[in-house]
Amino acid sequence: QVQLVQSGGGLVQAGGSLRLSCVISGYIFSVNAMGWYRQAPGKQRELVATITRVSGRENYADSVKDRFTISRDNAKNTMYLQMNSLKPEDTAVYLCVVVYYSGGTFWGQGTPVTVSS
C-alpha cells in the first residue's frame, strides 16, 4: 500500500521561507513522477512543481518559478519543496502526489501554509 506522509508548513511572514517534506512508503520503483499541488480557499487546485523520480527533471508553475525548489532524495524515499520569498498569495493547503508508470496516483494528507503580510 502506497502512503504519503507530509510534514512542514505553518505560519510565516511574507518574505520568509518554509520547507515541506513528503515521505513515500510502499513500492516506489515504479513511480514515474512526483509533485506538489496547492489549493487556496475558494480556488481550484493548482500544480506547483513536478520532478521525475529517475532523471530529476523539474518543472514549475510560473507563479513560483525562481522562488520554490522541488527536490527528491530517492535513498530516503522523500520529496521536498523549498519555498523562499513567500508571498501572501502562496497561502494554501499544499499536497504532495506521486504518479506511477501505470497511471496510479496517490496523494499526501495536505499541509496548510499561511503567509502573513
Side-chain angles (χ1 to χ4, degrees):
Q1 181 71 14
V2 178
Q3 190 173 17
L4 280 65
V5 178
Q6 297 179 220
S7 61
L11 175 64
V12 66
Q13 286 189 331
S17 298
L18 285 173
R19 189 175 84 156
L20 306 181
S21 300
C22 178
V23 178
I24 306 157
S25 62
Y27 189 73
I28 71 159
F29 294 101
S30 293
V31 169
N32 178 23
M34 302 175 280
W36 292 90
Y37 278 76
R38 67 186 181 185
Q39 186 160 20
K43 293 188 176 181
Q44 287 190 328
R45 190 169 290 186
E46 174 190 20
L47 178 62
V48 175
T50 61
I51 187 168
T52 55
R53 188 184 68 84
V54 175
S55 68
R57 185 175 63 196
E58 302 165 28
N59 192 39
Y60 297 92
D62 288 342
S63 58
V64 305
K65 207 170 288 185
D66 299 325
R67 298 189 298 121
F68 289 12
T69 302
I70 188 172
S71 61
R72 86 269 190 262
D73 185 334
N74 288 341
K76 295 182 179 179
N77 293 352
T78 303
M79 172 174 54
Y80 304 96
L81 185 68
Q82 177 66 42
M83 304 183 292
N84 299 328
S85 302
L86 282 160
K87 305 174 181 180
E89 52 263 44
D90 294 319
T91 296
V93 173
Y94 284 72
L95 303 104
C96 61
V97 61
V98 296
V99 181
Y100 282 72
Y101 288 107
S102 65
T105 303
F106 296 87
W107 294 87
Q109 80 276 18
T111 186
V113 170
T114 302
V115 184
S116 63
S117 56

